[in-house]
Amino acid sequence: MTDFRTLDAVGDVHGKVALVRVDLNLPMQDGAVTDDTRIKASAPTILELADGGAKVLLLAHFGRPKGARSSVMSLSMVIDAVQDVLGREVMFVPEIYGPVVEQTVGILPPGGIAVLENTRFWPGEEANDPELAKAIAANADLFVNDAFSAAHRAHATTEGLAHVLPAFAGRAMEAELTALQKALGNPERPVAAVVGGAKVSSKLDVLTHLVGQVDHLIIGGGMANTFLAARGVDVGKSLCEHDLAATADQILAAADKAGCTVHLPYDVVVAKEFAANPAGLRTCNVHEVAADEMILDVGPQAVEALADVLKTCRTLVWNGPLGAFETPPFDAATVALAQSAAALTREGALVSVAGGGDTVAALNQAGAAGDFSYISTAGGAFLEWMEGRELPGVKALQR
Ligand code: ADP
Ligand code: MG
């Protein structure tokens, strides 16, 4: 199933130098890390290698310094947070190759951990310059990639290093790939996909890929409006990409041909203004939306029917909220369906995988995230995987 090497195949690492690509692109405020989830994700990999006696050099990018040093994007800022999560002392090295790194390797004891500087300070990182990869690799014995979230980029430390050093997937990468494989690679059927969010245009490739992969495609959010409009429904003032009507029709036709049932809402929650609990808030059939109203959520009857669809499924993959969930009560459909999926997952009836920045926030808001089989925080990489693309960072591990 998984044709990449994991840490199980790494052998004795005592005294060896392991370059570990992690995700330290952390949310910061006033110089302090505000959310250490990404450090926690890679802590098992880092500690496993360190406890095996490896000298661990962490590689990561931060922000978009565009190939030049920038004091406000130095990874020195994350050292305290990394130390807190790992519970170990961690060195900072203001380089990623060359004599300073070599000296660090010399003084690090087996099990020692260092964070190297922001890889994107070097233009060769994003250019995937093989010379940079070789220079970084010169100080190490092996490469471990634990940053699925950066795997959609072919950069020197996400892809290039895998060609010049023995390469392994870290534990977080392994967990992500295993979960994604279970959800779309080789899933138990029937499979349902929920695709929501604001716009069809941002997820065209996702929709196009999924209709050929899943048995039920549940479309919600603003993008449902585009599909409804394409079918001749008057969606009033709703967010809607009228120019994509033909595209929406093509997707519906492709789904039909592939035997994929597309579910669009038949009742919706509408309002005359986009505000919390606005005046004139009402639920109606999709054919009853007035010219001055906008659709802001899927209606309760449709949600009940969708929950029944999930009951017939064995696998669920979810990206995108069903409504404008940040503004109450337009979170109701997302929360209700998330809770149904969570309950089915708890019962062991459903494998549920979700990803996407707003999706993860919405599932947390619903109190459902903890019950999902797997939640991907990978953003862009998760979406590219949902588009059926081969991720270069993953492919490089599959030699
Ligand atoms: P993700 O980050 O999980 O990939 P998206 O960014 O694609 O999700 O979509 C989330 C956004 O879609 C949210 O900001 C939400 O308010 C918006 N949205 C969902 N439904 C609607 C709607 N009916 N009208 C306007 N915006 C909507
Ligand atoms: Mg988003």
Side-chain angles (χ1 to χ4, degrees):
M1 183 184 83
T2 43
D3 53 350
F4 51 88
R5 281 190 292 179
T6 70
L7 289 186
D8 294 333
V10 83
D12 182 13
V13 294
H14 194 89
K16 290 194 176 160
V17 179
L19 286 165
V20 184
R21 182 56 157 96
V22 292
D23 185 349
L24 295 179
N25 200 21
L26 308 169
M28 311 263 304
Q29 209 163 17
D30 306 322
V33 172
T34 55
D35 181 353
D36 58 9
T37 309
R38 287 171 164 171
I39 309 174
K40 285 185 179 137
S42 278
T45 296
I46 298 165
L47 294 175
E48 183 175 339
L49 288 163
D51 290 345
K55 303 181 179 193
V56 181
L57 304 181
L58 302 181
L59 286 166
H61 73 273
F62 183 82
R64 298 174 186 271
K66 304 227 162 83
R69 285 189 187 264
S70 152
S71 57
V72 295
M73 287 183 246
S74 170
L75 276 180
S76 59
M77 296 184 305
V78 308
I79 293 295
D80 287 349
V82 174
Q83 293 192 139
D84 285 349
V85 170
L86 298 179
R88 309 262 169 106
E89 203 174 306
V90 174
M91 268 180 81
F92 174 69
V93 185
E95 302 289 340
I96 57 172
Y97 67 92
V100 175
V101 178
E102 198 183 326
Q103 283 157 21
T104 304
V105 166
I107 59 173
L108 265 189
I113 302 165
V115 173
L116 307 188
E117 184 54 288
N118 187 347
T119 57
R120 288 192 183 167
F121 286 2
W122 286 266
E125 163 72 331
E126 291 181 74
N128 199 7
D129 179 358
E131 294 308 316
L132 179 65
K134 272 189 224 157
I136 300 170
N139 288 307
D141 301 298
L142 59 125
F143 171 60
V144 176
N145 192 345
D146 211 27
F148 177 81
S149 59
H152 57 316
R153 314 249 188 242
H155 293 173
T157 66
T158 64
E159 202 270 347
L161 279 175
H163 297 292
V164 290
L165 283 173
F168 305 86
R171 295 302 181 196
M173 174 74 88
E174 178 186 353
E176 181 105 26
L177 294 177
T178 305
L180 299 189
Q181 179 70 14
K182 241 186 182 172
L184 273 187
N186 186 21
E188 270 193 62
R189 294 195 173 273
V191 185
V194 172
V195 183
K199 287 181 170 180
V200 170
S201 52
S202 65
K203 292 183 184 171
L204 261 184
D205 293 340
V206 171
L207 293 165
T208 306
H209 177 62
L210 287 179
V211 292
Q213 303 291 316
V214 305
D215 305 291
H216 295 276
L217 177 62
I218 295 167
I219 302 178
M223 61 175 58
N225 303 338
T226 299
F227 281 89
L228 290 169
R231 285 192 165 177
V233 173
D234 185 351
V235 297
K237 274 200 311 175
S238 303
L239 176 65
C240 179
E241 294 165 291
H242 291 284
D243 54 323
L244 286 181
T247 308
D249 277 335
Q250 280 163 18
I251 292 170
L252 293 173
D256 205 38
K257 215 174 140 202
C260 167
T261 309
V262 176
H263 302 267
L264 289 168
Y266 48 80
D267 65 335
V268 286
V269 181
V270 299
K272 287 190 182 12
E273 53 165 346
F274 185 17
N277 305 304
L281 175 76
R282 68 182 188 111
T283 298
C284 68
N285 184 283
V286 286
H287 296 287
E288 295 164 358
V289 179
D292 61 349
E293 287 178 323
M294 54 190 137
I295 301 171
L296 291 164
D297 200 11
V298 171
Q301 280 181 46
V303 172
E304 230 181 279
L306 294 176
D308 286 337
V309 171
L310 294 192
K311 282 184 196 147
T312 69
C313 293
R314 300 287 295 160
T315 304
L316 166 68
V317 43
W318 186 330
N319 170 260
L322 294 181
F325 78 101
E326 302 94 332
T327 312
F330 308 113
D331 59 339
T334 306
V335 168
L337 196 65
Q339 288 173 349
S340 299
L344 289 167
T345 309
R346 270 201 308 273
E347 291 162 19
L350 192 68
V351 169
S352 52
V353 172
D358 293 296
T359 309
V360 175
L363 296 185
N364 278 323
Q365 193 170 311
D371 284 321
F372 270 60
S373 312
Y374 191 80
I375 299 274
S376 174
T377 53
F382 180 83
L383 271 184
E384 287 202 19
W385 167 79
M386 277 191 78
E387 291 167 359
R389 285 179 208 261
E390 198 163 56
L391 310 186
V394 173
K395 188 174 177 228
L397 294 176
Q398 288 172 325
R399 289 176 303 145

